[in-house]
């Protein structure tokens, strides 16, 4: 499968460009919508929680600290949720193409992965501009973000492709995952810091592999600190296991994939 991906690398790259163009066809703002949606969601959270409910970020007196915390967390979560959600439905979306054109089917989740990374890069640029308007100059710790991007995208890709294969055969998975992602979002410290979680619920945070990955963004973008690498061991192992398992399941189910569609 890896050699097939290499042979079809130009097809993958052209498909990523085509997907980005097609997603916002006849739209005047085009790719800007992929940036505006998470920014608008973070702005709504900041308005409701910071301005209306008076939420603040502990240890920092800056009024803009909480919106920056939200933007950093939303950036990490948007990358994860986009890859998982799109990978889960990509085989169903491209069912007609799979039946008419012969190409390695593994290309489809990789195309989703690539387009999500492009969207994420544009989002980070937009967030950096917002930070400058808020008086926060990106520091050297931002150089840790590629590590967060790599770990989150690999974890999301492995999980998304695994769910994508299962979703072809059992369509209920697609409905259930949407609910699970919403619950997972609120169980991850994105709109609240870890410090406010009650002690009797800390075990939920400790079991959540997205927590240390999102904290890479928080530490680098908000606090200008390098992440603690010790908590990343479990997410790294889990990401590798999911990636290998997803390739094994995909290879086993690939001959029956088109028939199930």
């Amino acid at each position: 499968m890896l050699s097939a991906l290499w042979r079809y690398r130009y097809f993958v790259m052209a498909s990523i460009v085509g997907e980005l163009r097609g997603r916002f066809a006849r739209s005047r703002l085009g790719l800007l919508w992929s940036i505006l949606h998470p920014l608008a969601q973070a702005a709504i959270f900041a308005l409701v929680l910071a301005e209306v409910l008076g939420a603040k970020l502990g240890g920092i007196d800056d009024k803009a600290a909480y919106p920056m915390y939200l933007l950093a967390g939303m950036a990490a979560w948007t990358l994860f949720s986009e890859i998982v959600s799109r990978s889960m439905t990509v085989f169903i979306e491209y069912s007609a193409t799979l039946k008419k054109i012969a190409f390695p089917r593994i290309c489809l989740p990789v195309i989703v992965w690539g387009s999500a990374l492009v969207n994420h890069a544009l989002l980070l640029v937009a967030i950096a501009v917002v930070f400058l308007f808020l008086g926060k100059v990106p520091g050297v710790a931002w150089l840790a973000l590629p590590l967060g991007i790599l770990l989150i995208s690999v974890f999301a890709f492995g999980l998304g492709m695994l769910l994508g294969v299962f979703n072809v055969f059992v369509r209920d998975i697609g409905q259930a995952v949407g609910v699970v992602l919403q619950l997972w979002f609120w169980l991850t410290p994105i709109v609240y810091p870890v410090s406010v979680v009650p002690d009797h619920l800390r075990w939920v945070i400790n079991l959540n592999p997205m927590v240390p990955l999102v904290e890479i963004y928080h530490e680098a973008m908000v606090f200008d600190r390098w992440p603690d690498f010790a908590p990343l061991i479990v997410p790294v192992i889990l990401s590798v296991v999911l990636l290998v398992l997803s390739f094994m399941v995909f290879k086993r189910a690939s001959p029956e994939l088109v028939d199930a569609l």
Side-chain angles (χ1 to χ4, degrees), residues 14-225:
S15 298
I16 291 172
V17 175
E19 165 138 342
L20 292 173
R21 288 177 176 174
R23 191 184 304 180
F24 303 103
R26 298 184 180 181
S27 172
R28 294 185 180 274
L29 295 181
L31 283 175
L32 285 177
W33 283 116
S34 63
I35 301 172
L36 293 176
H37 283 304
L39 286 180
Q41 190 174 7
I44 292 170
F45 278 130
L47 176 64
V48 174
L49 297 176
E51 297 296 332
V52 178
L53 300 180
K56 295 181 180 179
L57 194 61
I60 302 180
D61 295 330
D62 189 356
K63 188 177 180 180
Y66 185 71
M68 290 188 294
Y69 184 87
L70 276 172
L71 285 172
M74 290 295 297
W77 182 261
T78 300
L79 175 62
F80 170 73
S81 62
E82 180 178 358
I83 295 177
V84 171
S85 300
R86 291 293 320 287
S87 297
M88 187 178 58
T89 60
V90 67
F91 298 115
I92 298 174
E93 291 176 3
Y94 286 86
S95 59
T97 305
L98 287 171
K99 295 175 182 178
K100 295 178 181 178
I101 304 175
F103 65 95
R105 300 174 183 119
I106 192 64
C107 291
L108 291 179
V110 174
I111 291 169
V112 169
W113 192 359
S115 62
L117 290 177
V118 173
N119 285 336
H120 189 66
L122 295 174
L123 177 61
L124 289 179
V125 172
I127 289 177
V129 174
V130 173
F131 274 33
L132 290 174
F133 276 110
L134 294 175
K136 173 73 172 180
V137 179
V140 180
W142 277 56
L143 296 176
L145 290 181
L147 174 63
I149 295 172
L150 175 64
L151 295 181
I152 292 175
S153 62
V154 171
F155 176 53
F157 180 79
L159 179 60
M161 188 165 71
L162 193 63
L163 293 172
V165 174
F166 291 151
N167 192 38
V168 172
F169 300 95
V170 184
R171 300 298 173 89
D172 293 334
I173 291 178
Q175 303 297 328
V177 170
V179 178
V180 171
L181 283 177
Q182 292 184 25
L183 179 62
W184 199 343
F185 172 83
W186 290 104
L187 292 177
T188 305
I190 297 173
V191 299
Y192 58 87
V194 181
S195 57
V196 304
V197 178
D199 292 336
H200 67 280
L201 294 177
R202 285 295 176 96
W203 64 273
V204 178
I205 300 297
N206 295 333
L207 290 176
N208 187 349
M210 278 300 294
V211 172
L213 300 180
V214 171
E215 286 303 302
I216 296 177
Y217 281 68
H218 284 153
E219 293 290 327
M221 300 175 71
V222 181
F223 302 103
D224 199 18
R225 296 193 299 246

Side-chain angles (χ1 to χ4, degrees), residues 1-9 12 91 103-110 157 161 165 243-255 257:
M1 285 188 289
L2 294 177
S3 62
L5 277 174
W6 177 252
R7 292 196 307 270
Y8 280 78
R9 60 190 182 277
V12 171
F91 298 115
F103 65 95
R105 300 174 183 119
I106 192 64
C107 291
L108 291 179
V110 174
F157 180 79
M161 188 165 71
V165 174
L243 189 64
V244 174
L245 182 61
S246 64
F247 272 97
M248 292 173 60
V249 171
F250 179 83
K251 184 177 181 180
R252 185 178 181 86
S254 184
L257 203 62

